[in-house]
Amino acid sequence: MKNLIYVISLFFGLIVNAQTNLPKSATEISPLLIGEEIPSVILQSIDGKNIKFNDIAKSKKTILVIYRGGWCPYCNLHLSALGEAEEKLIEMGYQIIAVSPDSPESLRETIIKDKLNYTLLSDSKGDFTKALGIAYIIPNGLKKNVKTILHGIKNDFLPVPSLFIVNEKSEIEFEYISPDYKTRISNELLLAVATILKK
């Protein structure tokens, strides 16, 4: 019984730490690994509805993209590039889901600006990003600008730009995580990996 209580206490302690003790830089994150299951966390659609990632993922394999926000030019370039690969990915049986700390209102602006057809979801509280282990404390130099662009949402974190390929059980089959926010996976590499994993 004491062992069980200890395990439960340790479990809840880890959850608290994951939400509050964020790394100070992008190079200090501890992301989930290939083979691990993405936790069931609630996100918001562009119209403000609550959606569990796992409910979306169970329908088909998912290209899960985590980006810093619509204010980031490198993220916008990547989102647009993914749009160019979307048709081929859909033909292979994939769907694309992109998640950021942006508010639903900001997501709508990004969809219009970048002419995107795939799904954008809001993780404005950071629960999803922190569960993935890719959140870190937002640098002081960005706090003011990001707060203004996010329609007043007070975020204490940024996600490290990442791409995961996730199966219908929400298990990670591939991941590309770059602490250098200027570096993103190419469509060529993504399509090559997606082709291998579709089998």
Side-chain angles (χ1 to χ4, degrees):
M1 184 66 178
K2 288 183 179 179
N3 289 339
L4 177 61
I5 293 172
Y6 172 76
V7 170
I8 292 173
S9 299
L10 179 61
F11 175 75
F12 283 106
L14 288 173
I15 289 177
V16 171
N17 287 337
Q19 293 175 341
T20 58
N21 298 330
L22 295 180
K24 294 181 180 179
S25 74
T27 57
E28 298 174 1
I29 62 168
S30 298
L32 293 181
L33 303 176
I34 292 173
E36 292 192 284
E37 183 178 337
I38 294 178
S40 182
V41 177
I42 294 177
L43 299 161
Q44 282 191 309
S45 66
I46 59 171
D47 53 6
K49 292 182 180 178
N50 290 337
I51 299 176
K52 284 185 179 180
F53 172 76
N54 305 63
D55 289 341
I56 303 173
K58 68 184 178 183
S59 62
K60 60 179 67 176
K61 281 196 174 187
T62 302
I63 308 295
L64 171 62
V65 181
I66 310 295
Y67 67 103
R68 304 195 314 158
W71 55 270
C72 171
Y74 297 96
C75 296
N76 290 323
L77 287 172
H78 187 215
L79 294 177
S80 296
L82 281 170
E84 297 172 7
E86 182 180 17
E87 186 175 343
K88 289 182 179 179
L89 290 166
I90 289 174
E91 288 174 0
M92 291 184 202
Y94 291 92
Q95 64 179 341
I96 300 175
I97 305 292
V99 178
S100 78
D102 284 353
S103 66
E105 183 179 353
S106 296
L107 295 181
R108 285 194 295 272
E109 294 173 2
T110 299
I111 288 174
I112 294 170
K113 178 178 62 178
D114 295 335
K115 299 177 182 178
L116 305 177
N117 295 315
Y118 54 84
T119 302
L120 301 189
L121 296 175
S122 171
D123 180 36
S124 59
K125 294 180 180 178
D127 293 339
F128 190 63
T129 305
K130 293 170 185 176
L132 289 170
I134 57 172
Y136 67 101
I137 295 173
I138 187 169
N140 287 327
L142 284 177
K143 280 185 179 179
K144 185 178 180 181
N145 292 337
V146 173
K147 180 181 176 182
T148 301
I149 294 169
L150 295 185
H151 299 284
I153 288 178
K154 295 180 180 179
N155 286 337
D156 62 345
F157 74 97
L158 272 182
V160 171
S162 307
L163 183 143
F164 302 86
I165 296 181
V166 183
N167 64 23
E168 296 88 340
K169 297 179 181 178
S170 294
E171 296 166 341
I172 299 170
E173 295 187 337
F174 170 83
E175 60 185 33
Y176 184 97
I177 301 170
S178 176
D180 178 0
Y181 64 87
K182 297 179 182 179
T183 303
R184 308 298 168 95
I185 188 172
S186 67
N187 279 352
E188 291 76 16
L189 177 56
L190 173 58
L191 289 169
V193 174
T195 300
I196 293 170
L197 293 178
K198 75 172 184 176
K199 298 176 181 178

